[in-house]
Amino acid sequence: MHPKEHQTTSLALFCKVVDNYGDIGICWRLARQLEQEHGIAVTLWVDDLQSFQRICPEVAIDREAQQIGTVTVRYWRDQNGVFAASDVADIVIEFFACDIPPAYIAAMAERTPHPVWLNLEGLSAEAWVEGCHTLSSPHPSLSLTKYFFFPGFTSKTGGLLLESGLQQQRQTFQHDQAAMAAFLGQFGVTPAEMAFLKVSLFCYPQAPVSALFHAWQSSDTAIICLVPEGIAVDAVQAFIGGTGQAAKAGATATRDALTVRVLPFIPQPDYDKLLWACDLNFVRGEDSFVRAQWAGKPFIWHIYPQDKDLHHLKLNAFLQCYAAKTESLIEFSLGWNAATKTAVDWAAIWPLLEADMQKIAIMSMDWQRQLLANGDLASNLLKFAETVR
């Protein structure tokens, strides 16, 4: 850890929660890494403490300001705060073009020297990202310049979030069968179920989960599907049975080849372990999407839906550059995101993906090496900030 007196750089990170857990998930990972690995004094402004608490149980939802570890968390209540130049951090990051308080921007202009102002954009593999990464945007009326910073999959982008010790932690965990069994055992997974094909499921409500469950019931392989509480509510409730409220953590049912277990929402470090312990991971949005790539296991991405199906362009751009894919993974991914022109026969496509899973896992290691060559997002962001100070 870095003593506070040595933390000469301060950073304010503004996060508006749109995608429930992905936005705050990314910002919380970034905040912790900047503090723990780089000695930055971070203040995280977030407008939804309840979503934050789901992934970080230490968060109190009734406080204006609090310390979580050594990161200062401020409740971003409205746009009408009062700020002085002395309140402004050395580096100011607005996540995904959120509108930070006008009074804060005015205080930025009064501060000497001006802070480095970054708009940390969403992750995309689309070609235009490389051309927009680090572009400047002068403020129309104040003597401030904002820079666009894009995460990405190539050396011409900012890279991906990756803590320095994550890969070693993953390898140690995945080589320890007892540790994986103990971890999943706390959620009710039995020793017998450890031999099943283990799937984690995190998706948006429109995912075709019921159809996939039906296909899995007829599988030649025993499958256990681990679903966080509140995810795929209708499909899980229909499978587990009963009426009324959604299935709670601990609920489980087995039908033919498929067992479904409902998990509690778990903190971020445990979510990584869940991805590491499973054979196949269904992920959504941006945060779990990146963590699945570092897990080195086959995964299916449910992309955040956009008007006019613009998210399909983003999905196809990723599938084009992704090195750990087979035809079955492409077809399954497109079907999962309703990006196909014809109906998907899940009973036909699932065995093809299952047969390719070992091959995909091996290719995932090569993909990771490509990503590692780009450096990590937090380090790249700070290096860029130094160049524009």
Side-chain angles (χ1 to χ4, degrees):
M1 299 297 293
H2 302 261
K4 282 288 180 185
E5 59 267 28
H6 293 162
Q7 291 181 337
T8 56
T9 301
S10 59
L11 184 145
L13 174 56
F14 288 84
C15 173
K16 281 194 173 180
V17 178
V18 177
D19 178 15
N20 290 32
Y21 313 110
D23 303 312
I24 184 56
I26 294 163
C27 291
W28 180 229
R29 289 190 197 280
L30 177 60
R32 283 183 300 167
Q33 187 178 2
L34 287 169
E35 194 286 324
Q36 293 173 2
E37 297 184 18
H38 299 280
I40 306 297
V42 179
T43 298
L44 173 59
W45 292 82
V46 58
D47 69 340
D48 182 351
L49 293 175
Q50 289 188 320
S51 289
F52 193 180
Q53 189 185 57
R54 296 292 298 277
I55 63 169
C56 180
E58 301 96 309
V59 171
I61 61 174
D62 58 351
R63 295 184 189 170
E64 297 291 321
Q66 56 192 299
Q67 291 290 126
I68 308 295
T70 50
V71 174
T72 300
V73 175
R74 300 289 301 272
Y75 177 40
W76 184 5
R77 182 185 296 276
D78 55 44
Q79 291 291 88
N80 300 316
V82 177
F83 299 95
S86 58
D87 298 323
V88 175
D90 300 316
I91 302 172
V92 178
I93 299 176
E94 57 184 47
F95 180 71
F96 209 31
C98 65
D99 294 322
I100 63 179
Y104 195 94
I105 296 175
M108 288 164 59
E110 295 174 1
R111 184 187 189 273
T112 303
H114 293 332
V116 176
W117 185 8
L118 303 175
N119 175 15
L120 179 58
E121 281 284 358
L123 174 62
S124 178
E126 293 169 286
W128 61 265
V129 165
E130 293 184 346
C132 293
H133 179 55
T134 70
L135 280 183
S136 61
S137 175
H139 192 278
S141 59
L142 300 173
S143 58
L144 293 170
T145 299
K146 176 164 57 178
Y147 297 89
F148 296 92
F149 200 88
F150 283 82
F153 304 99
T154 74
S155 61
K156 295 180 181 179
T157 68
L160 301 178
L161 276 172
L162 174 67
E163 301 85 350
S164 61
L166 186 74
Q167 294 298 75
Q168 183 58 54
Q169 293 171 25
R170 175 185 62 79
Q171 291 171 9
T172 300
F173 183 77
Q174 288 179 332
H175 284 92
D176 189 339
Q177 293 296 321
M180 288 197 290
F183 173 75
L184 293 180
Q186 67 183 309
F187 305 119
V189 177
T190 67
E193 290 168 350
M194 285 298 296
F196 292 7
L197 191 149
K198 296 176 288 295
V199 180
S200 75
L201 178 62
F202 189 40
C203 61
Y204 296 111
Q206 63 270 34
V209 176
S210 291
L212 184 58
F213 278 2
H214 185 73
W216 279 348
Q217 286 178 238
S218 303
S219 171
D220 293 332
T221 304
I223 298 170
I224 181 166
C225 181
L226 306 174
V227 189
E229 188 177 32
I231 300 301
V233 171
D234 293 342
V236 170
Q237 184 65 28
F239 184 86
I240 289 178
T243 58
Q245 294 183 337
K248 299 294 185 182
T252 185
T254 299
R255 295 188 184 183
D256 302 319
L258 175 61
T259 297
V260 173
R261 286 190 177 276
V262 180
L263 273 55
F265 236 82
I266 54 180
Q268 281 186 331
D270 282 348
Y271 183 68
D272 279 320
K273 289 183 179 179
L274 178 64
L275 296 176
W276 299 344
C278 287
D279 303 297
L280 173 66
N281 295 302
F282 287 76
V283 293
R284 78 180 203 189
E286 181 174 328
D287 183 54
S288 59
F289 169 50
V290 171
R291 304 314 279 192
Q293 292 174 67
W294 294 131
K297 298 292 187 73
F299 71 90
I300 300 296
W301 180 28
H302 201 197
I303 189 168
Y304 188 74
Q306 293 178 287
D307 292 339
K308 299 180 181 179
D309 290 335
L310 292 177
H311 56 297
H312 291 166
L313 298 175
K314 196 172 177 180
L315 173 65
N316 278 291
F318 173 72
L319 290 174
Q320 186 172 356
C321 79
Y322 184 45
K325 63 177 181 283
T326 60
E327 191 61 38
S328 64
L329 185 138
I330 294 172
E331 187 177 347
F332 201 107
S333 298
L334 294 174
W336 191 244
N337 286 277
T340 56
K341 295 180 180 179
T342 57
V344 178
D345 184 348
W346 296 106
I349 189 176
W350 164 248
L352 300 177
L353 178 64
E354 184 183 10
D356 284 342
M357 281 174 47
Q358 185 173 3
K359 179 181 179 181
I360 294 168
I362 293 171
M363 292 190 295
S364 294
M365 297 297 103
D366 291 331
W367 175 244
Q368 284 188 358
R369 282 187 281 271
Q370 290 184 44
L371 298 177
L372 288 168
N374 301 327
D376 73 277
L377 179 70
S379 298
N380 291 338
L381 186 150
L382 291 178
K383 289 175 186 174
F384 175 72
E386 282 297 317
T387 67
V388 296
R389 278 194 173 186

